Amino acid sequence: MIRCEGLTKFYGNHQAIADVSLNVAEGEIVGFLGPNAAGKTTTMRILTSFIPPSGGSATVAGHDVVDDSLESRRAIGYLPETSALYRDMRVREFLRYCAGLRGMGGVETRERIDYVLGICGLTERADSIIGTLSLGYRQRVGLAQALLHNPPVLILDEPTVGLDPNQIIEVRNLIKNLADNHTVMLSTHILPEAQMTCQRVIIINHGRIIAEDTPEALTAQIRKSETVSVTVAKDESNVRGMLLDMPEVVGVRSLGGGTYHVDTAVGSDKRAEIAELLVGRGLGLLELRPLEMTLEDVFRQLTTEEEGVE
């Protein structure tokens, strides 16, 4: 549904993105991640025909974003990071106005407005003036207008910005449900959200794609060891040495307070042996749990390595 080949964009002498190539299949929810100024917003603006590329090509639902931009835009529901809302209009009035801009009318308009008001949790706010709404509710209005014309592709730039934790969960579940009828590409700085929402992530840094896979696969590629957190009641000076002497233990870090992070070879599970050792020595085992590598860990490692290369 979304395809980019060798996208490049210059602003004067500054190259914002370089040779960006990516594919998003029908029905996928893909997270587009990167640090500030990495090229996320530039790429999204090209995909939505806000700006043209300096080189390369991109298509949305089979339509070229430059040569067939009208049709490609019809196929997209776009939520920018800062929603372009008319703050003096009422919610329903604004949605009716957006429907008119998109050539919708009659019964279709009324049905779609009622639908997006309901799915975005705005039914009770339908007659409220947009300028009186909280940031979270204004974000919902922006999402409602993106869904209004039932587009096959949704491009969402920071869809949960300004939302409280309960609203974030609601939007996360909404996005997951939208995959039944829409292809979703979203950017976010909240990496746990991407891990819980997206089937696949694409990471961009310094204008180039540096990683692309499922969160689980990226974690497996980056992880160099298994890590277990251990806490003992009696933090004796020889605890670290005892742990290091165990087979397949490749590193031990003391965090203080009797807590240690024990690194073992990838694929090994030494929890039973660690517990037996510490209990046998009478150290008072208080906690023993595996530490999972998160998407945030992967993101930080990849982007930090890229910084080092630069």
Side-chain angles (χ1 to χ4, degrees):
M1 292 297 281
I2 301 174
R3 180 184 296 271
C4 300
E5 295 290 344
L7 275 188
T8 301
K9 180 63 180 179
F10 283 91
Y11 296 108
N13 293 324
H14 172 66
Q15 189 174 37
I17 58 173
D19 195 29
V20 168
S21 297
L22 59 88
N23 290 294
V24 181
E26 183 175 358
E28 265 197 305
I29 303 176
V30 172
F32 194 40
L33 314 178
N36 289 331
K40 301 189 303 297
T41 298
T42 294
T43 304
M44 287 184 155
R45 286 177 175 170
I46 291 172
L47 289 174
T48 52
S49 299
F50 271 55
I51 58 174
S54 303
S57 64
T59 60
V60 175
H63 304 287
D64 190 279
V65 300
V66 175
D67 297 334
D68 197 10
S69 65
L70 185 59
E71 290 302 319
S72 70
R73 281 180 283 174
R74 283 175 173 154
I76 293 172
Y78 179 43
L79 176 66
E81 184 174 359
T82 303
S83 296
L85 306 175
Y86 290 106
R87 296 168 65 95
D88 58 342
M89 298 179 89
R90 299 182 189 277
V91 174
R92 188 185 298 274
E93 178 188 12
F94 172 73
L95 294 175
R96 190 180 298 116
Y97 170 73
C98 291
L101 291 178
R102 292 192 173 276
M104 299 168 61
V107 175
E108 177 191 21
T109 297
R110 291 193 297 272
E111 290 179 349
R112 287 300 300 176
I113 288 176
D114 287 342
Y115 171 77
V116 298
L117 286 172
I119 201 170
C120 294
L122 289 166
T123 301
E124 295 183 359
R125 302 281 183 156
D127 296 318
S128 298
I129 296 173
I130 292 174
T132 67
L133 298 177
S134 67
L135 176 60
Y137 272 106
R138 293 202 299 272
Q139 192 72 352
R140 293 188 191 201
V141 176
L143 184 56
Q145 68 78 27
L147 288 166
L148 188 58
H149 58 298
N150 197 23
V153 175
L154 290 171
I155 296 180
L156 312 177
D157 196 354
E158 300 289 346
T160 58
V161 66
L163 303 184
D164 65 36
N166 289 331
Q167 293 170 336
I168 287 174
I169 293 172
E170 292 172 5
V171 172
R172 180 201 309 159
N173 293 333
L174 170 59
I175 291 172
K176 288 181 178 179
N177 292 334
L178 290 174
D180 292 337
N181 300 301
H182 307 271
T183 298
V184 183
M185 181 177 183
L186 66 91
S187 74
T188 181
H189 284 92
I190 307 173
L191 297 184
E193 283 304 306
Q195 187 156 14
M196 288 183 281
T197 306
C198 301
Q199 300 156 348
R200 190 162 57 90
V201 294
I202 299 169
I203 301 177
I204 187 172
N205 196 28
H206 297 300
R208 297 180 182 274
I209 303 295
I210 60 172
E212 179 178 356
D213 215 323
T214 65
E216 296 76 16
L218 285 176
T219 299
Q221 292 172 26
I222 297 299
R223 187 176 60 217
K224 296 181 173 64
S225 63
E226 308 287 349
T227 304
V228 174
S229 178
V230 177
T231 302
V232 293
K234 299 177 182 179
D235 189 16
E236 299 177 358
S237 59
N238 63 337
V239 172
R240 182 174 180 274
M242 284 190 296
L243 292 168
L244 274 174
D245 287 340
M246 294 183 65
E248 297 187 87
V249 170
V250 297
V252 177
R253 301 183 301 283
S254 173
L255 277 68
T259 297
Y260 296 83
H261 283 180
V262 183
D263 298 325
T264 62
V266 173
S268 65
D269 185 351
K270 307 298 292 183
R271 286 176 294 176
E273 291 91 334
I274 291 171
E276 183 179 357
L277 172 67
L278 297 177
V279 171
R281 296 294 179 93
L283 296 174
L285 179 61
L286 301 178
E287 183 181 63
L288 175 64
R289 60 185 174 89
L291 294 180
E292 298 293 337
M293 193 175 201
T294 67
L295 183 58
E296 187 169 357
D297 298 325
V298 172
F299 178 86
R300 286 167 52 195
Q301 184 161 333
L302 285 171
T303 54
T304 300
E305 287 175 356
E306 286 286 309
E307 291 288 347
V309 171
E310 288 290 314

